[in-house]
């Protein structure tokens, strides 16, 4: 086996979800996942996520959050979990006024799984107060060039230490 100098990228894994859908709120829902098998227990994994989301409701605002979940270490670098607050990697809000509005949050976190077994990372979304969330599409769905579709991705990079 080859020894990599500290700070070098050992391997890269990416997954994309191009399908569209709507997930129920009130519980964490996975949009896309990818697995990586670290070559060393000292490796760090840099996880970059990018999601496309919109409000499926024309009668209420949408408050939601996203996070990165690791099968080895749980939620990665999320906010404070005091009281009944929901902690995530992003804080997002969309109004009810436009069927064309959407957001594409991107975030990067670092995990230290301390393992050479496969680790699965997931981009997840949570609609507060049981609010549903669209992914990879706008609320309006006309068969026209102004209807935009996106993709949600997760990229994993193993970094030698």
């Amino acid at each position: 086996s080859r020894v990599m100098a500290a700070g070098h990228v050992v391997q890269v894994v990416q997954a994309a979800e191009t399908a569209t859908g709507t997930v129920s709120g009130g519980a964490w829902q996975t949009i896309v996942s990818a697995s990586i098998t670290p070559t060393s227990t000292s490796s760090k994994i840099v996880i970059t996520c990018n999601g496309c989301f919109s409000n499926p409701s024309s009668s209420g605002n949408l408050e939601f959050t996203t996070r990165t979940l690791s099968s080895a270490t749980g939620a990665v670098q999320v906010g404070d979990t005091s009281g009944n607050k929901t902690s995530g990697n992003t804080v997002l809000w969309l109004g009810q006024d436009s069927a064309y509005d959407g957001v594409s949050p991107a975030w990067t976190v670092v995990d230290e799984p301390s393992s050479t077994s496969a680790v699965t990372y997931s981009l997840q979304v949570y609609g507060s107060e049981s609010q549903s969330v669209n992914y990879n599409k706008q609320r309006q769905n006309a068969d026209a060039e102004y209807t935009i579709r996106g993709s949600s991705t997760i990229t994993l990079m193993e970094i030698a230490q």
Side-chain angles (χ1 to χ4, degrees), residues 93-151:
W93 182 91
L94 282 167
Q96 66 191 21
D97 300 332
S98 176
Y100 303 98
D101 286 350
V103 294
S104 293
W107 65 98
T108 300
V109 293
V110 178
D111 191 32
E112 299 180 49
S114 300
S115 175
T116 55
S117 298
V119 180
T120 300
Y121 292 93
S122 301
L123 181 165
Q124 295 189 317
V125 63
Y126 182 96
S128 67
E129 299 175 350
S130 299
Q131 296 172 313
S132 295
V133 180
N134 283 340
Y135 61 92
N136 298 340
K137 67 178 182 175
Q138 298 166 294
R139 179 172 66 231
Q140 66 80 25
N141 198 28
D143 187 14
E145 56 84 22
Y146 57 81
T147 299
I148 308 298
R149 297 293 169 97
S151 66

Side-chain angles (χ1 to χ4, degrees), residues 6 55 80 90 106 141 147:
N55 185 354
D80 180 20
T90 63
N141 198 28
T147 299

Side-chain angles (χ1 to χ4, degrees), residues 64-84:
F64 65 109
T65 185
T66 59
R67 74 176 180 187
T68 304
L69 184 69
S70 163
S71 63
T73 59
V76 182
Q77 296 178 335
V78 295
D80 180 20
T81 58
S82 66
N84 293 320

Side-chain angles (χ1 to χ4, degrees), residues 5-82:
H8 282 80
V9 176
V10 178
Q11 60 177 315
V12 178
V13 176
Q14 184 183 49
E17 178 58 73
T18 59
T20 64
T22 303
V23 294
S24 300
W28 287 102
Q29 304 286 336
T30 296
I31 304 301
V32 62
S33 296
S35 295
I36 192 167
T37 303
T39 59
S40 171
T41 57
S42 64
S43 292
K44 293 185 180 182
I45 308 298
V46 176
I47 307 108
T48 301
C49 297
N50 185 353
C52 294
F53 303 104
S54 69
N55 185 354
S57 173
S58 60
S59 62
N61 297 327
L62 172 62
E63 298 162 351
F64 65 109
T65 185
T66 59
R67 74 176 180 187
T68 304
L69 184 69
S70 163
S71 63
T73 59
V76 182
Q77 296 178 335
V78 295
D80 180 20
T81 58
S82 66

